[in-house]
Amino acid sequence: MSIKTALFATSALLLATSATAYADIPVGHLADQSGATSDVGVPYAQGVADALAYINSKGGINGTKLAVDTVDYGYQAPRAISQYKKWSSGSDKIAALQGWGTADTEALTGFVGKDEIPAYSGSYSGHLTDPTGKGPHGSKPAPYNFFYGPSYSDALRGMLMWAAEDWKKQGGQGKPKYVHMGANHPYPNAPKDAGEQLAKELGFEVLPAVQFALTPGDYTAQCLTLKQSGVNYAYLGNTAGSNISVLKACQTVGAKVQFMGNVWGMDENAAKAAGAAADGVVFPMRTAVTWNGDAPGMKTLKDISKMSDAAGTAYRPVHYMAGVCTAFIMKEAMDWASKNGGVTGPNIRKAMYQKKDWVPAGLEGVCVPSTWTENDHRGMTAVNIYRAKVGGDTGAGVDELVKAGTIKLEKLTTVDVPRKPEWLGW
Amino acid sequence: MANISIIPSGDFKTSYGTDTTIFPTKTSRNFAILGVVLLLACPAFMDRYWLSLLIQIGYLGIAALGLNILVGFTGQISIGHSAFFGFGAFASAWLNNSVGVPVALAIPLAGVVTTLVGLLFGMPAARLKGLYLAIATLAAQYILQDFFARADWFTGGTAGTIAEPLTLFGFAFDTDESYFYVVLVAMVVMYLLATNLMRTRDGRALVAVRDHYLSAEIMGINLTKYRTMSFGISAFYAGIGGALYAHYLQFVSVEGFTILFSIQFLGMIIIGGLGSIMGTLMGTAFMVFLPEAMQALTKLVSGTAIDTALNLKDNIAFLREMSIGLVIILFLVFEPDGLAHRWKQIKAYWKLYPFSH
């Protein structure tokens, strides 16, 4: 009977917790803290959560606090959608959504458009960049979708442009071979066609895509395929965790491939975990500096970090910083909306179009200037390409490794991807 | 002794007809009707959060009942039920999006299509027993899951597909308040169907197959026919449940229909009570409320002394998953016969009070 009592007690608690009323600005925050992409989902969500807590500690949006509800949806689109349905109606309808994955964000596109709730996703799928739905590749209208960073497609285009140059610089003979790698899932698939198309145009020989799951595993077979076909450049479409497995396996079988990760494909933690296998991996970065970088905005970032790390000693990976930038973009849009008719979805959306080369106040030198327009949600087309350098044993903590220079993320170049109209929404 | 249903004195049965009514007494029937009437009033005073949980109990309960017909009443085993649930969801969305069948018709049609798929997988399965059958249904789970991921024309591939809301005569059932009634009506109909099925010749044949297949065969029951039929009925229920889910969420993705979900269905009927119609609903309610209760508990714990003492931080999310597992295990240890059995005992206790036997 004691179990029953416990059950009754929990349901009573449920009643108590579900009956809280909001007098603030409700914000929904979907995070992946336990699912397939939690390796990068956790630091990103922490960045968003810390930034929003910091904003509240400074008085919120012109004196009104944000009521943030963070929910872990385990990277399962159906769970995200049922959560969104709870958030999107009734008296405490959320004013904005901090989202995460590609599958769920793309599935929610129609819903957030209908409900007029701006969604700031952790997904940078090119399909989300077309607010009017006029893109030539059959993209659906996504008027309420925003993200901070270059789209997956643009980032890959930038890296391919770099790779074409790199091939010439290396003195490569003949056509370089390119292959797209990733899970059969909306997120790795998002830039696949765009990348393969441009690779062909740039003179790459495009080989059939190689699949590997979103979870870490034994990917020796995939690496042997790369080795046999003599691939020169491979795009890793997954997140850091499973990419590490590929990097290690390929190091073991001796596949000499220049790997290009996406924005979630590499970070300081992944470089530590992969060790020497991560050396030389190229990836796009969404902030102008890393945690130890020198920029005026870093002081704000250190203060934000203290929200969840009072000692102020934690080393925050690049995804954390991107989460902060995303949250602050939303915050400044809300600021503008509150002065121009109130913090409602349509006003926040309007606010997104007010600034050019927008860097949130206090984050100068950290967040990269972004511009959104009513017909184009490609906020950033400048792709900052970095290379992970790992020199030596990575047994120590990330903080020490970065301090000692064992792990370095060094900037190679910035590629300005042309804002072609035919690439909108693709 | 406390398990026999106790009839109040003066309530006589004078014909076979009255002895096989759905409800044993008038009171129990009136209570059931009262329950439905109370449910009808729910959207008036419940917030959306609770409504969404009730809707979940509705469509999951329908699908779980299908599994209980197969496992609890026929004695077969299936660990691929969520694949049929998913098939119903995709079929309904596809019938509506591509074929242009109105949603109100697409839902029952999806049930029929899923029945055919169920019969297809049921045919070889009907000749297997025990572990072999379990593996065969496991194959069904993976074959269908793979089909969902690859059949772009049918499911939208890995990206999933949008399902339009149900509209009748220009009225869209796209809020929880309105869709609640759709699910409620479907649930009452499906549960009555199942209850009546168990009172028919065919239903009793299913139970005979469960209780002793050899005796059943000697009595002239065609084992293969009834086992296959049971798979078909089970898939029909899963398909209807899945279709209702599709048009409630308005989005269907292959991610939702994993083996874990199939195990959850099994959990529902085991916790509720195998071979019990009412137990199915109880078990479903338990499985729907449990994660929510755990989520609330986890939220309470986060940021408290327990959280800091154990240094949980990011791992708090896993606390919920772990406690769900723990509660289910404890349940199976202390309540092996399910909630329906416990309910009967509680009723008997009060009937016989103060004499316990």
Side-chain angles (χ1 to χ4, degrees):
Chain A
M1 287 308 266
S2 61
I3 290 173
K4 258 208 178 58
T5 329
L7 268 179
F8 278 126
T10 46
S11 49
L13 282 176
L14 243 182
L15 265 171
T17 48
S18 64
T20 44
Y22 291 117
D24 319 316
I25 301 168
V27 175
H29 177 198
L30 281 172
D32 179 14
Q33 293 162 325
S34 60
T37 60
S38 53
D39 49 351
V40 292
V42 168
Y44 178 85
Q46 193 67 59
V48 172
D50 285 0
L52 296 177
Y54 175 84
I55 289 162
N56 271 347
S57 75
K58 298 281 178 213
I61 308 295
N62 291 332
T64 316
K65 291 242 162 93
L66 299 167
V68 187
D69 187 13
T70 304
V71 170
D72 166 38
Y73 75 106
Y75 206 60
Q76 288 166 342
R79 259 171 82 177
I81 289 163
S82 62
Q83 184 59 49
Y84 170 83
K85 288 190 81 157
K86 281 179 207 166
W87 280 333
S88 61
S89 67
S91 56
D92 55 348
K93 175 180 156 177
I94 53 171
L97 174 73
Q98 285 284 344
W100 175 242
T102 298
D104 36 288
T105 306
E106 288 194 10
L108 282 171
T109 298
F111 291 91
V112 295
K114 198 176 68 168
D115 299 328
E116 300 183 321
I117 295 173
Y120 296 84
S121 60
S123 166
Y124 304 173
S125 164
H127 306 140
L128 305 170
T129 57
D130 182 4
T132 52
K134 291 190 181 127
H137 289 278
S139 46
K140 292 195 189 82
Y144 277 86
N145 285 89
F146 301 95
F147 54 79
Y148 163 82
S151 78
Y152 295 147
S153 307
D154 281 346
L156 177 51
R157 287 178 183 122
M159 287 194 293
L160 283 165
M161 290 172 187
W162 168 85
E165 288 298 310
D166 181 65
W167 181 250
K168 281 187 205 130
K169 231 187 270 172
Q170 307 279 355
Q173 298 300 313
K175 275 188 160 191
K177 289 178 177 163
Y178 164 76
V179 69
H180 175 100
M181 295 176 74
N184 182 16
H185 187 276
Y187 151 62
N189 285 344
K192 183 168 172 283
D193 296 344
E196 290 181 344
Q197 181 66 38
L198 183 71
K200 278 195 194 103
E201 287 169 21
L202 289 169
F204 286 85
E205 184 187 335
V206 179
L207 299 173
V210 174
Q211 274 192 27
F212 69 103
L214 271 166
T215 43
D218 179 9
Y219 299 122
T220 309
Q222 281 84 340
C223 287
L224 287 169
T225 308
L226 296 186
K227 193 178 173 180
Q228 276 156 3
S229 51
V231 169
N232 308 103
Y233 296 91
Y235 172 73
L236 295 173
N238 288 8
T239 57
S242 50
N243 288 353
I244 293 167
S245 304
V246 171
L247 295 173
K248 285 197 153 172
C250 285
Q251 192 192 23
T252 311
V253 303
K256 293 268 179 292
V257 183
Q258 172 62 62
F259 286 107
M260 304 184 290
N262 81 352
V263 288
W264 304 107
M266 183 46 65
D267 59 65
E268 296 89 331
N269 293 333
K272 169 183 155 57
D279 191 41
V281 173
V282 165
F283 69 103
M285 209 164 84
R286 292 151 290 172
T287 46
V289 288
T290 56
W291 193 247
N292 291 351
D294 190 27
M298 278 315 289
K299 193 193 160 303
T300 316
L301 263 165
K302 302 273 177 185
D303 289 344
I304 292 168
S305 175
K306 283 184 185 143
M307 287 285 151
S308 63
D309 172 50
T313 52
Y315 182 91
R316 304 291 192 177
V318 288
H319 310 307
Y320 180 93
M321 297 168 70
V324 171
C325 288
T326 312
F328 266 78
I329 295 268
M330 179 185 87
K331 181 250 180 196
E332 294 207 341
M334 284 181 168
D335 279 340
W336 185 92
S338 77
K339 290 177 192 136
N340 293 277
V343 186
T344 62
N347 287 342
I348 297 172
R349 178 173 170 240
K350 233 180 274 165
M352 293 297 293
Y353 307 139
Q354 299 306 317
K355 292 182 185 169
K356 278 185 88 77
D357 296 332
W358 179 3
V359 177
L363 297 172
E364 292 82 5
V366 179
C367 303
V368 177
S370 309
T371 311
W372 287 270
T373 66
E374 261 174 78
N375 302 315
D376 191 342
H377 281 195
R378 288 177 286 192
M380 200 191 294
T381 48
V383 183
N384 293 314
I385 299 179
Y386 279 68
R387 189 199 292 270
K389 297 293 283 174
V390 183
D393 181 61
T394 53
V398 174
D399 194 14
E400 291 157 41
L401 290 171
V402 176
K403 270 206 187 95
T406 315
I407 291 178
K408 273 207 289 274
L409 303 181
E410 52 178 35
K411 187 166 176 178
L412 293 176
T413 176
T414 301
V415 179
D416 268 309
V417 178
R419 200 178 274 273
K420 290 187 183 173
E422 64 266 30
W423 284 355
L424 183 66
W426 189 45
Chain B
M1 174 64 205
N3 291 335
I4 53 163
S5 77
I6 297 150
I7 307 293
S9 57
D11 194 335
F12 295 115
K13 302 272 165 70
T14 50
S15 70
Y16 283 120
T18 51
D19 202 24
T20 51
T21 49
I22 293 182
F23 297 103
T25 61
K26 284 195 183 78
T27 326
S28 60
R29 185 190 62 204
N30 294 342
F31 261 106
I33 292 168
L34 178 73
V36 174
V37 171
L38 280 179
L39 279 173
L40 282 171
C42 273
F45 63 86
M46 269 193 184
D47 67 1
R48 294 183 59 260
Y49 170 72
W50 287 97
L51 278 179
S52 72
L53 291 184
L54 289 180
I55 291 170
Q56 270 188 58
I57 292 170
Y59 62 71
L60 291 175
I62 291 171
L65 183 58
L67 187 64
N68 213 343
I69 289 170
L70 182 68
V71 179
F73 286 100
T74 322
Q76 306 291 293
I77 178 82
S78 168
I79 41 181
H81 201 64
S82 77
F84 296 110
F85 183 85
F87 197 92
F90 281 124
S92 190
W94 177 76
L95 282 167
N96 178 247
N97 295 339
S98 305
V99 187
V101 180
V103 176
L105 279 177
I107 293 174
L109 264 182
V112 174
V113 177
T114 315
T115 309
L116 297 176
V117 177
L119 288 171
L120 189 76
F121 282 103
M123 264 187 287
R127 288 172 168 76
L128 302 168
K129 280 196 279 290
L131 263 183
Y132 300 95
L133 176 62
I135 300 299
T137 56
L138 188 66
Q141 166 82 40
Y142 280 108
I143 290 167
L144 284 175
Q145 241 179 281
D146 199 56
F147 170 73
F148 295 155
R150 287 171 199 275
D152 272 55
W153 58 274
F154 182 60
T155 63
T158 50
T161 180
I162 298 289
E164 295 301 325
L166 169 66
T167 39
L168 268 183
F169 313 113
F171 179 78
F173 291 87
D174 54 358
T175 61
D176 285 23
E177 286 79 4
S178 54
Y179 202 78
F180 175 82
Y181 292 111
V182 177
V183 174
L184 182 65
V185 168
M187 200 190 82
V188 170
V189 169
M190 296 299 276
Y191 268 67
L192 280 175
L193 272 180
T195 312
N196 279 332
L197 170 74
M198 291 309 148
R199 297 159 68 215
T200 61
R201 190 169 175 274
D202 289 328
R204 288 198 301 275
L206 293 179
V207 175
V209 170
R210 174 194 72 189
D211 286 347
H212 204 282
Y213 71 94
L214 208 54
S215 312
E217 202 164 22
I218 289 165
M219 284 164 65
I221 291 171
N222 182 340
L223 287 188
T224 308
K225 174 188 154 186
Y226 279 106
R227 280 185 181 146
T228 316
M229 189 181 94
S230 178
F231 262 97
I233 295 169
S234 162
F236 175 70
Y237 272 79
I240 298 280
L244 286 168
Y245 155 83
H247 297 290
Y248 170 58
L249 205 57
Q250 293 164 37
F251 168 74
V252 197
S253 141
V254 61
E255 287 179 317
F257 313 118
T258 56
I259 179 96
L260 276 177
F261 193 26
S262 291
I263 304 291
Q264 263 180 329
F265 275 125
L266 277 173
M268 285 172 203
I269 61 170
I270 292 168
I271 285 170
L274 289 173
S276 159
I277 303 233
M278 185 180 66
T280 309
L281 200 53
M282 288 177 159
T284 310
F286 181 87
M287 286 294 260
V288 169
F289 285 135
L290 181 70
E292 301 299 323
M294 289 303 162
Q295 175 88 21
L297 266 184
T298 319
K299 266 219 167 104
L300 282 181
V301 169
S302 89
T304 59
I306 305 171
D307 186 358
T308 39
L310 296 170
N311 197 8
L312 292 168
K313 271 190 198 151
D314 305 334
N315 301 329
I316 204 112
F318 294 99
L319 208 64
R320 168 177 170 256
E321 313 290 325
M322 275 159 41
S323 26
I324 292 169
L326 181 72
V327 170
I328 291 170
I329 290 168
L330 289 174
F331 212 93
L332 295 181
V333 171
F334 294 107
E335 284 283 10
D337 294 336
L339 286 164
H341 173 75
R342 173 60 59 186
W343 175 239
K344 271 187 189 149
Q345 286 191 316
I346 291 169
K347 276 202 303 195
Y349 174 85
W350 289 111
K351 282 254 169 62
L352 298 168
Y353 189 83
F355 311 106
S356 63
H357 296 296

